[in-house]
């Protein structure tokens, strides 16, 4: 199994660093450009959600010292990619969120939820756990 780990502070400026880790990993594993772009899109959605909806609820002092742990791995035996996020924001289970009605027009639909919907649609399996005051989100993509 091949893995890439990175820990970044909870700052939107670090998205580019995370995006580059995903691109490098996909290049090393010879993962298609199409799948790489899907992985980057899903990760960008979740990374931004952690910071804007999770860490924004914390005091400024806690925000500045907060981190996001990220891992991407590929298991060639199962032909599956695993993306794993750990953050210290308040508890939030994205998998329990109501699915937006995508049949409605943008004007008719309530704001929010499309990023999580997209994440669920592009990935084959998503799991969430709250462990030791941390959010653990695992995203699986079969090749």
């Amino acid at each position: 199994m091949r893995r890439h780990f990175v820990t970044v502070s909870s700052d939107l400026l670090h998205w580019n660093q995370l995006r580059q880790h995903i691109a490098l990993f996909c290049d090393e594993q010879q993962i298609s450009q199409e799948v790489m772009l899907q992985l980057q899109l899903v990760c960008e959605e979740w990374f931004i959600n952690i910071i804007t909806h999770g860490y924004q609820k914390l005091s400024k002092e806690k925000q500045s010292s907060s981190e996001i742990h990220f891992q991407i791995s590929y298991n060639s035996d199962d032909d599956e990619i695993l993306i794993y996020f750990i953050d210290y924001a308040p508890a939030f289970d994205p998998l329990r969120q109501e699915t937006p009605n995508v049949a409605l027009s943008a004007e008719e639909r309530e704001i929010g939820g499309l990023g999580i919907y997209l994440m669920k649609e592009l990935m084959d399996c998503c799991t969430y756990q709250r462990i030791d005051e941390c959010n653990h989100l695992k995203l699986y993509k079969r090749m």
Side-chain angles (χ1 to χ4, degrees):
M1 180 180 290
R2 306 284 176 138
R3 296 180 185 171
H4 270 233
F5 298 95
V6 66
T7 298
V8 295
S9 64
S10 60
D11 187 322
L12 292 174
L13 295 174
H14 288 106
W15 163 244
N16 195 46
Q17 180 183 358
L18 204 57
R19 183 186 61 74
Q20 290 173 352
H21 275 278
I22 296 165
L24 177 63
F25 178 83
C26 289
D27 187 50
E28 289 173 355
Q29 301 308 309
Q30 299 178 336
I31 294 168
S32 73
Q33 179 84 2
E34 178 185 356
V35 171
M36 181 200 68
L37 291 172
Q38 289 176 0
L39 297 175
Q40 287 177 329
L41 179 60
V42 165
C43 290
E44 181 179 21
E45 285 292 334
W46 190 243
F47 183 79
I48 290 171
N49 274 345
I50 292 170
I51 295 169
T52 59
H53 300 295
Y55 284 132
Q56 291 298 321
K57 295 177 183 177
L58 301 176
S59 68
K60 289 287 183 192
E61 180 182 312
K62 286 186 177 180
Q63 283 179 30
S64 65
S65 64
S66 297
E67 297 176 324
I68 299 170
H69 303 284
F70 172 81
Q71 173 189 324
I72 185 169
S73 59
Y74 175 64
N75 184 336
S76 57
D77 293 339
D78 295 335
D79 205 23
E80 185 173 69
I81 295 170
L82 165 63
I83 293 172
Y84 190 10
F85 281 96
I86 300 173
D87 67 76
Y88 304 92
F92 179 73
D93 182 351
L95 307 179
R96 296 183 136 223
Q97 303 308 302
E98 189 172 317
T99 302
N101 184 346
V102 293
L104 296 175
S105 70
E107 294 79 24
E108 298 172 306
R109 194 172 40 242
E110 288 187 36
I111 294 174
L114 285 179
I116 293 170
Y117 170 78
L118 181 70
M119 186 172 69
K120 291 179 188 177
E121 287 295 306
L122 290 176
M123 303 306 284
D124 292 301
C125 179
C126 306
T127 65
Y128 170 85
Q129 289 182 295
R130 181 76 177 175
I131 304 171
D132 297 330
E133 301 300 313
C134 296
N135 296 301
H136 293 250
L137 182 69
K138 293 182 180 179
L139 309 168
Y140 299 87
K141 177 81 173 168
R142 288 182 201 91
M143 301 302 292

